[in-house]
Amino acid sequence: MWQDLIELDGNILLYVQEHLRSTILNDIVVWFTSLGNAGIIWILLIMALIIYKGTRKEGIYCSISLILCFIVVNIFLKNVVARVRPYDAIEQVRCLIEPQADYSFPSGHTAIAFAASVPVFILSDKRLGIIMLVLSVLMGLSRIYVCVHYPSDVIGGAVTGILCGIVTGMVIYPNLNKRIHKV
């Protein structure tokens, strides 16, 4: 079963590389995926949420979710799973960006994107949350397009980010809110 998943992952990447890439789209996707480097786009969005008084609470909880996600993904999961990047495992895969320094599973760009988006969706205006979730999906797809992640890495990143966002929005937020109101 695992071998079938690994083979499917590789075949999807090769299909994307051979049939979906175009010169114009390559430039757009490379630019977009680079916005996720070090969580830059999400940190800037969170800063904007914190600066605006009406969404300050959401910005704070997104920050908590990002920190939780960073710990789970970059300190724990990537090192435990230690999955080799697709371009190192499949000779035919041609990456559109510089090789990455860490392991492949789960996709950190995707995990961070969902970790930043889910608390906004849970705690705030659903329209803003939906926009951020759409950007999160696009971030995950961009990681497959540039061939630095397998599709299962992106799915794993999305699930991890969603869980971090849910834990923050539905567990940490209510507990902190109760303590704040007791004081």
Side-chain angles (χ1 to χ4, degrees):
M1 181 174 145
W2 289 113
Q3 189 59 36
D4 292 338
L5 176 62
I6 291 169
E7 188 175 323
L8 178 62
D9 263 352
N11 288 337
I12 291 171
L13 284 180
L14 292 172
Y15 182 85
V16 167
Q17 178 177 284
E18 298 302 320
H19 300 286
L20 300 180
R21 284 185 179 172
S22 72
T23 307
I24 294 171
L25 194 54
N26 289 357
D27 292 338
I28 293 167
V29 174
V30 167
W31 170 80
F32 182 75
T33 205
S34 71
L35 293 175
N37 294 349
I40 295 298
I41 189 173
W42 308 110
I43 292 169
L44 292 174
L45 279 166
I46 289 168
M47 286 173 48
L49 290 171
I50 291 172
I51 289 169
Y52 179 65
K53 189 176 181 181
T55 57
R56 191 166 292 147
K57 169 182 68 174
E58 292 85 347
I60 291 168
Y61 288 103
C62 285
S63 300
I64 293 168
S65 183
L66 281 184
I67 293 166
L68 175 62
C69 189
F70 176 81
I71 292 167
V72 169
V73 170
N74 293 76
I75 296 175
F76 182 69
L77 286 176
K78 280 188 181 276
N79 294 309
V80 168
V81 176
R83 187 176 194 188
V84 175
R85 295 276 179 170
Y87 51 80
D88 288 330
I90 304 170
E91 187 177 322
Q92 301 92 330
V93 169
R94 299 290 173 252
C95 187
L96 293 180
I97 61 173
E98 294 294 318
Q100 307 293 288
D102 58 356
Y103 291 112
S104 191
F105 183 89
S107 167
H109 279 65
T110 307
I112 292 296
F114 278 96
S117 301
V118 169
V120 172
F121 184 78
I122 291 171
L123 302 173
S124 185
D125 177 14
K126 298 296 184 231
R127 290 174 292 172
L128 177 59
I130 289 170
I131 290 168
M132 289 179 68
L133 288 170
V134 168
L135 289 174
S136 300
V137 169
L138 292 174
M139 183 59 69
L141 292 174
S142 77
R143 304 306 283 172
I144 295 168
Y145 186 91
V146 299
C147 287
V148 293
H149 284 291
Y150 295 99
S152 60
D153 297 340
V154 169
I155 293 167
V159 168
T160 305
I162 289 168
L163 290 174
C164 289
I166 289 172
V167 165
T168 301
M170 298 180 85
V171 177
I172 295 172
Y173 170 74
N175 288 330
L176 280 180
N177 235 11
K178 286 178 190 172
R179 289 185 183 163
I180 290 169
H181 291 304
K182 284 182 180 179
V183 175

